[in-house]
Amino acid sequence: MKPAAYATLNLQAAGHNLAMVRRYAPDAKIMAVIKANAYGHGMIRIAKALDATDAFAVARVEEGIKLREAGIGQPITVLEGFTCALELAASLRYQLDAVVHCREQINLLAESLERDRINVWLKIDTGMNRLGFKPTEFAGVHQRLMQLPVIKKPINLMTHLASADDQSGSSTPLQLELFSTLTADYPGVRSIANSAGILRWRQTLTEWVRPGVMLYGISPFPERTGGQLGLTPIMGLYSRLIAVKSVATGESVGYGGSWLCQQPTRMGIVAIGYGDGYPRHAKPGTPVLINGRKAPLIGRVSMDMISVDLTGLPVAQVGDTVTLWGEGLPVEIIALAADTIPYALLCGITQRVQIFEE
Ligand SMILES: *Cc1c(COP(=O)(O)O)cnc(C)c1O
C-alpha cells in the first residue's frame, strides 16, 4: 500500500548535478551545501550521494555533528559558525570548520584553552548585510585572528552574494570588486559563489564554490528551470485522487467558499495539503499532473487535501497518481504560482510525507 502523499528521490541525479557544478566551475573545489536537512531531501542520504564532493557546508554546529556521527569524512564548514563556547569546543572535537563573522566569536577564540586548531573562513560583508565584518573592519580583524594560536593559518576568506540571480543589476559586480580589492594581498583561499554565481557569474568563481539549490536539480533563477540549465531534479512529490465528483454552476468549493463554480465542473480531490508541505498559498490555476496531463487547482489548499478541475481529463479516476511537482512539472513553476521560491517548497516537506529512494 502506497501512502497517500509521498516523495521520490532520484539519488543518481545528485551525482549528475555535482558533475554539472564541476563543468560550470572546472577549477574550483566544491563545498556542497546540505543545510536544512539538505533542502528537505535528507541530510545524511544526500551527503552519501554527494560523496564525490570536496567538502560540505551546513548552517549550524548541530548539523555538522550529525554528519560526523554518520561517518562523513570530508571537511565540513559551519556557515553560521559557533555561537557559544560549547559550540566552539564541539567544532574542535568534531573537526568542523567555522565561519567567523562577528566580534563575539573572536572573543570566544581568544579565551579558548583548547590544544586543537580550528580551520576558519573569515567572512566579509560586501553588501548582503547579514553575517560578516564590514570592509573597514577586515584588516584589523584579520590581524587579530592571525595572533590567535587556536586558529589554523592561513585564514580563508569568504563573502556571500545578495543578488546573484539578478543578471542586470550592479550589486554582484560591486560585491566582487570590493571583495577582490580587500583580499588581494592576503594568503588563504577564497569563496564567493552560490548556485546563481556559479551559473551566471564566472568572475565569482574562486578556489571554492558553495552550490546549494543546483545540487538538488533546481534553478536559482525564477525565469529558468533546473532542466533548462542541464540539471536533474532529485525530488518528485506525489499523491492520488481519492474522490471525483461534479460541481454545479454557482456552487463554491473549499474553505471560505472563495472559488465559485462558473460552469458544470468535474472535480477531483487529491490527498495532499499544507500538512504535507504543499504550499497553502498556491493560487487557483496552479497545475498538477494526472496521467501526464495538467489539471488546475481550484479553491483553497487545506491541510490534507486539494481540489482540482478534471473537466479536461474525463478519464481521470479515483486512485490515479497525481504529480504535485517532479517529472513533467518543475517545482519552479509551482513556486511561481504560490508566490514563493523552490527552496521554501523543498524545505517545507513535512514528516508525514514518506520518502522513497530511487
Ligand atoms: C545557503 C547558502 C549557500 C547556497 O546557496 P544556493 O543559492 O542554494 O546555491 C551558499 N553560501 C551560503 C553562505 C549560504 O548560506
Side-chain angles (χ1 to χ4, degrees):
M1 186 186 72
K2 268 222 160 137
Y6 61 96
T8 59
L9 298 179
N10 171 4
L11 291 177
Q12 263 151 32
H16 165 79
N17 297 329
L18 184 68
M20 288 303 291
V21 177
R22 292 221 189 272
R23 275 178 58 182
Y24 279 101
D27 303 322
K29 287 194 175 170
I30 299 174
M31 195 186 281
V33 182
I34 54 172
K35 61 194 179 189
N37 199 28
Y39 294 44
H41 292 67
M43 186 172 65
I44 305 300
R45 72 161 69 83
I46 293 295
K48 289 183 175 157
L50 293 175
D51 186 51
T53 189
D54 302 296
F56 290 107
V58 291
R60 315 255 165 90
V61 169
E62 64 262 27
E63 293 173 319
I65 294 173
K66 279 202 188 113
L67 285 172
R68 286 284 181 250
E69 284 176 343
I72 300 301
Q74 283 98 334
I76 299 172
T77 296
V78 177
L79 295 169
E80 294 174 358
F82 48 85
T83 61
C84 62
L86 283 175
E87 283 191 358
L88 171 56
S91 301
L92 283 156
R93 180 143 66 95
Y94 289 94
Q95 292 189 39
L96 306 175
D97 301 347
V99 169
V100 174
H101 55 80
C102 69
R103 302 262 167 207
E104 289 78 1
Q105 289 177 305
I106 301 182
N107 294 339
L108 290 170
L109 287 162
E111 287 157 12
S112 166
L113 301 172
E114 305 271 352
R115 282 192 13 251
D116 295 332
R117 302 282 172 263
I118 189 163
N119 192 32
V120 300
W121 291 88
L122 173 53
K123 185 163 191 177
I124 311 174
D125 179 3
T126 54
M128 174 87 172
N129 263 314
R130 197 174 59 180
L131 296 184
F133 292 96
K134 292 196 186 315
T136 50
E137 301 175 299
F138 167 64
V141 166
H142 191 279
Q143 199 174 20
R144 177 91 181 93
L145 292 180
M146 286 301 289
Q147 293 159 354
L148 300 180
V150 71
I151 291 179
K152 269 188 205 153
K153 316 294 183 316
I155 293 164
N156 308 308
L157 306 167
M158 72 176 282
T159 193
H160 191 42
L161 300 171
S163 313
D165 53 336
D166 175 6
Q167 195 160 27
S168 52
S170 59
S171 99
T172 299
L174 284 173
Q175 285 194 269
L176 182 61
E177 165 71 20
L178 187 52
F179 184 75
S180 309
T181 312
L182 275 174
T183 62
D185 298 328
Y186 288 83
V189 290
R190 272 147 253 257
S191 177
I192 305 174
N194 53 6
S195 298
I198 293 164
L199 293 163
R200 193 162 264 179
W201 301 91
R202 312 203 98 210
Q203 319 87 290
T204 66
L205 303 180
T206 55
E207 288 93 337
W208 282 88
V209 293
R210 306 190 306 271
V213 78
M214 72 181 289
L215 291 172
Y216 308 96
I218 308 302
S219 164
F221 312 122
E223 75 286 356
R224 289 263 195 120
T225 64
Q228 289 168 332
L229 296 164
L231 305 168
T232 307
I234 296 181
M235 185 192 289
L237 182 65
Y238 304 92
S239 181
R240 59 174 176 257
L241 279 171
I242 58 166
V244 173
K245 59 184 61 183
S246 47
V247 192
T249 307
E251 288 185 312
S252 66
V253 172
Y255 283 119
S258 60
W259 193 85
L260 215 60
C261 188
Q262 307 285 346
Q263 61 202 20
T265 298
R266 186 166 187 263
M267 182 179 75
I269 308 295
V270 185
I272 197 159
Y274 63 80
D276 304 285
Y278 190 81
R280 198 181 88 84
H281 295 288
K283 288 194 270 286
T286 302
V288 304
L289 271 191
I290 302 171
N291 305 320
R293 303 212 20 219
K294 280 187 185 155
L297 188 71
I298 57 183
R300 282 192 199 155
V301 171
S302 43
M303 188 182 288
D304 313 305
M305 287 170 267
I306 57 173
S307 312
V308 295
D309 186 341
L310 297 179
T311 309
L313 283 73
V315 298
Q317 58 181 351
V318 167
D320 283 359
T321 298
V322 178
T323 304
L324 288 311
W325 62 71
E327 180 97 50
L329 186 59
V331 68
E332 289 91 338
I333 304 281
I334 308 305
L336 278 178
D339 280 327
T340 184
I341 52 175
Y343 299 73
L345 295 183
L346 301 175
C347 285
I349 293 298
T350 68
Q351 290 287 335
R352 184 163 68 176
V353 176
Q354 207 167 312
I355 305 261
F356 295 97
E357 295 181 12
E358 294 187 326

